[in-house]
Amino acid sequence: MKKFYYMAVLLTFLAAILAGCGSGGTGDRAEQSENKTGTLQFTANGEDFVRQGFTSKDGWDVSFNHVYVNLADITAYQSDPPYDAHAGGEVQAATKTIIPGAHTVDLAAGDQNALPILVSEKEVPVGHYNAISWQMLKASEGPAQGYSLVIAGAAVKNGKTVNFTLKNEKEYKYTGGEFIGDQRKGIVQEGGNTDLEMTFHFDHIFGDAGTPADDELNVGAPGFAPFAGLAADGNVEINMAGLKEKLSPEDYQKLETMLTTLGHVGEGHCYCEVL
Amino acid sequence: MKATVTVKYFEEGEVKDGELMMNGMRSFIFLAAIIFLFSLPAAAFGHGVNIEYQTTKAVEFTASYDTGEPVSNGQVTIYSPDDPSTPWKTGQCDEKGRFTFTPDPSMQGTWDIQVRKAGHGGMIHVNVDGEEAVAGSTGYTTTQIVLMVACVVWGLIGTALFFKRRKN
């Protein structure tokens, strides 16, 4: 009789061990060695909207001389789980790399076919950097001093030209997941070189005549007409405080909202915190 | 405008096997002979249709904007866990933003799916870890499975003990 009890206990343990083995081994992605490194470049891109200009939702042909953004605390993450910008919050990542300091870049630099602007590059552990965050802070020096964003250019409609300089003293933090675009970005291989992009969509502010008028983008964008309406002798230079005072509450509200949607990762949206 | 993507799984090509039962060796030999005779000319005709099937697991997803509007004809790019740099498959959503694909079961891990249209897009990550992950879930935790196995084992032992006792 005792023999059967021993057998029973033994079999039960065996079953438990077998079941345990079956449920293990979920290994998601290959573990990356900390010793292996590659180069990660951080770029900023105003896209063709900034490089080539575009027609606003209200028919102004807008072109840009300078679009300064002051970027700080740029951080790339190997996020796990993948960051969901829709849900927002902090990125969960065991590996991350930070570019120290602030960097003012001109998104309009170069010709119409210029490449995205290289902000910085760094030797980093290999792996897939599938999330990025950056702050847009007031510059302490340089051409954007006192502002996080300066947009300077000219807009033409029906033979009338308006030279504009729009300055933003508000500060933001954008956090995005994986780059959405033609090519996959952020996969660093040993000795290799890849990039991560901070993308800025200025059609969100001025609207885009190439998109239907009832599209969410054009409905939400202020367009260029509200800014043109503030011009004197064909010129307007104004900051957010001035715009709050002079724009209609509806247009100012639209502008405030759309500035939080400026930051992208390619075609993917970012979660934005107003600092 | 943001593109969000929801995912649901379903099983594709589920086919139930029929059963054939014959009683007695005689019947079996008779049936074998019939099958043998019919199989010979089939090869000679050359017009026979040979249909094979296998049960596969597919992933279906639907892409929509924040407004609920489907990402009609959105561009789809799928990356397998084995080569996350190179698209494993590309395609296009239908009018309702739907797309279906069957992951290669030999590539277990996270499949990344990107959907884009007109400058906006999103990405989802589908974990395919063998049968259990593709089917969503068996519905049992490891503890539950262990308990079930233990119960079956204990039942077998109890039955053995019962018969042993009666014999004694």
Side-chain angles (χ1 to χ4, degrees):
Chain A
M1 192 65 182
K2 257 184 175 178
K3 203 174 163 186
F4 274 103
Y5 281 118
Y6 287 138
M7 284 289 285
V9 172
L10 188 66
L11 279 169
T12 309
F13 271 109
L14 269 173
I17 288 163
L18 285 172
C21 288
S23 64
T26 52
D28 217 1
R29 292 180 191 262
E31 284 184 17
Q32 306 292 356
S33 165
E34 286 288 319
N35 298 327
K36 296 176 181 175
T37 60
T39 304
L40 185 60
Q41 295 184 325
F42 295 82
T43 60
N45 190 358
E47 299 193 312
D48 288 345
F49 287 116
V50 167
R51 287 186 290 261
Q52 299 175 7
F54 63 103
T55 305
S56 70
K57 71 170 193 177
D58 37 26
W60 287 85
D61 293 326
V62 185
S63 58
F64 301 91
N65 301 325
H66 300 286
V67 177
Y68 295 112
V69 286
N70 186 54
L71 310 170
D73 288 333
I74 302 165
T75 308
Y77 308 84
Q78 294 187 23
S79 70
D80 186 17
Y83 185 71
D84 179 3
H86 211 69
E90 293 296 315
V91 180
Q92 305 297 315
T95 304
K96 64 179 182 179
T97 187
I98 301 170
I99 301 295
H103 305 260
T104 301
V105 295
D106 183 2
L107 298 175
D111 61 21
Q112 292 191 335
N113 301 309
L115 293 171
I117 312 297
L118 177 65
V119 180
S120 185
E121 62 181 14
K122 192 177 179 182
E123 201 76 3
V124 297
V126 297
H128 187 189
Y129 291 83
N130 56 354
I132 185 171
S133 69
W134 70 91
Q135 294 186 4
M136 216 163 77
L137 303 179
K138 283 186 280 189
S140 56
E141 57 185 11
Q145 189 172 9
Y147 299 98
S148 61
L149 168 70
V150 176
I151 310 169
V156 180
K157 184 180 180 182
N158 298 331
K160 183 182 175 186
T161 300
V162 172
N163 297 305
F164 63 90
T165 304
L166 308 174
K167 298 181 285 191
N168 185 4
E169 60 271 30
K170 292 181 180 292
E171 298 182 317
Y172 309 84
K173 180 183 178 184
Y174 298 98
T175 308
E178 188 166 340
F179 177 87
I180 304 293
D182 288 332
Q183 287 186 325
R184 210 164 190 196
K185 291 182 182 285
I187 299 174
V188 178
Q189 293 175 331
E190 188 177 14
N193 195 330
T194 191
D195 69 299
L196 268 185
E197 184 180 293
M198 295 164 275
T199 319
F200 299 86
H201 286 197
F202 285 93
D203 55 332
H204 285 216
I205 295 174
F206 300 116
D208 179 11
T211 301
D214 61 352
D215 188 278
E216 195 187 352
L217 169 82
N218 280 335
V219 173
F224 189 77
F227 305 110
L230 304 178
D233 299 326
N235 295 295
V236 56
E237 181 171 346
I238 195 164
N239 62 15
M240 286 297 282
L243 288 166
K244 187 175 185 181
E245 193 184 316
K246 293 182 177 175
L247 285 179
S248 72
E250 189 192 351
D251 285 334
Y252 183 76
Q253 181 61 50
K254 281 183 175 179
L255 177 62
E256 265 200 326
T257 303
M258 285 317 219
L259 282 167
T260 65
T261 70
L262 201 61
H264 284 68
V265 278
E267 296 172 7
H269 283 245
C270 286
Y271 172 71
C272 181
E273 298 163 69
V274 179
L275 303 173
Chain B
M1 186 159 58
K2 299 173 187 174
T4 56
V5 182
T6 54
V7 182
K8 61 180 178 179
Y9 307 98
F10 69 94
E11 294 182 21
E12 195 178 59
E14 192 83 58
V15 181
K16 289 186 177 176
D17 293 324
E19 286 185 357
L20 184 64
M21 294 192 68
M22 296 291 286
N23 293 323
M25 184 60 87
R26 217 168 146 186
S27 303
F28 176 76
I29 292 166
F30 177 72
L31 181 69
I34 296 285
I35 291 169
F36 177 72
L37 284 171
F38 274 90
S39 65
L40 282 178
F45 292 149
H47 293 107
V49 177
N50 182 31
I51 302 174
E52 293 178 353
Y53 79 89
Q54 63 178 31
T55 304
T56 59
K57 308 283 184 185
V59 174
E60 179 186 291
F61 60 83
T62 307
S64 59
Y65 295 110
D66 277 353
T67 55
E69 188 189 338
V71 184
S72 303
N73 305 316
Q75 265 182 277
V76 178
T77 310
I78 300 167
Y79 298 93
S80 76
D82 285 13
D83 184 3
S85 304
T86 313
W88 178 78
K89 184 175 189 173
T90 57
Q92 203 174 47
C93 293
D94 67 10
E95 286 292 316
K96 293 181 177 175
R98 292 178 308 203
F99 190 84
T100 304
F101 74 99
T102 305
D104 183 338
S106 68
M107 299 184 204
Q108 293 184 13
T110 303
W111 290 70
D112 301 313
I113 303 155
Q114 176 181 272
V115 181
R116 306 157 58 200
K117 188 184 176 186
H120 295 274
M123 185 174 258
I124 52 165
H125 311 274
V126 178
N127 195 35
V128 177
D129 276 343
E131 291 293 307
E132 200 174 331
V134 175
S137 169
T138 59
Y140 298 115
T141 64
T142 305
T143 315
Q144 285 173 319
I145 292 167
V146 169
L147 273 173
M148 284 189 291
V149 172
C151 287
V152 170
V153 170
W154 188 249
L156 289 171
I157 290 166
T159 309
L161 282 171
F162 173 75
F163 282 111
K164 189 173 186 295
R165 196 172 161 187
R166 245 177 64 171
K167 205 175 163 185
N168 290 339

